[in-house]
Amino acid sequence: MKAKDLLSLWKTPDNTRLTAKQTSIRFPVHIAAKIAALCEMYPKKNRTEIIGDLLASSLEEMEQSFPFIPGKPFGPDDEGKMMFDDTGPGKRFRDLANKFYKELENELGNPEAPDLYSNLIGHKEE
């Protein structure tokens, strides 16, 4: 989700599940002012929804910026191009996100949660 997509998203209802535990954070004053401005501009969205959406957008962009470091090949795709495992920071991020996602889902009473990310993420041979 791109930051520009948030404006249309904030016009719709939010059915996001929240964690069982609350997290308290302090923001720099200039960030808090901008969040307050967005809260006033979009009164149907609460502060948690706005901050969550902003973080989701930023995390998605950051994840896409992780460099791909090719590992073992795991087979050709439908076009016959070889696919390689990612062994870089993106893989570590996805593995850790899967770990913490399962822990958080377990706290919500879902001990059989699937992975947040598939293990079959790789890149094609160029």
Side-chain angles (χ1 to χ4, degrees):
M1 164 182 18
K2 300 281 185 196
K4 66 181 178 180
D5 299 330
L6 294 177
L7 302 180
S8 60
L9 176 71
W10 288 342
K11 295 177 183 172
T12 63
D14 185 9
N15 297 319
T16 305
R17 292 177 55 218
L18 300 177
T19 58
K21 297 175 185 170
Q22 183 172 335
T23 302
S24 176
I25 56 175
R26 293 172 59 196
F27 294 110
V29 174
H30 70 285
I31 299 296
K34 292 176 183 181
I35 291 169
L38 290 170
C39 290
E40 188 165 317
M41 290 173 65
Y42 298 92
K44 292 183 180 180
K45 293 295 176 185
N46 64 45
R47 187 174 306 273
T48 297
E49 291 168 333
I50 287 175
I51 292 170
D53 290 342
L54 290 168
L55 283 171
S57 176
S58 179
L59 286 167
E60 184 177 311
E61 188 175 325
M62 184 176 139
E63 182 183 352
Q64 291 172 359
S65 74
F66 286 134
F68 172 74
I69 299 174
K72 295 179 182 177
F74 63 86
D77 67 2
D78 295 339
E79 299 171 358
K81 293 189 178 188
M82 189 55 69
M83 298 286 291
F84 293 88
D85 286 327
D86 184 359
T87 60
K91 167 122 173 57
R92 177 148 168 78
F93 173 79
R94 290 187 299 275
D95 288 346
L96 289 169
N98 281 340
K99 172 187 159 188
F100 291 115
Y101 178 74
K102 288 183 177 204
E103 287 178 12
L104 293 166
E105 282 289 341
N106 193 40
E107 289 176 5
L108 291 171
N110 184 10
E112 302 297 322
D115 284 344
L116 184 60
Y117 292 96
S118 164
N119 289 329
L120 296 176
I121 296 176
H123 284 275
K124 296 177 186 176
E125 178 182 63
E126 297 297 328

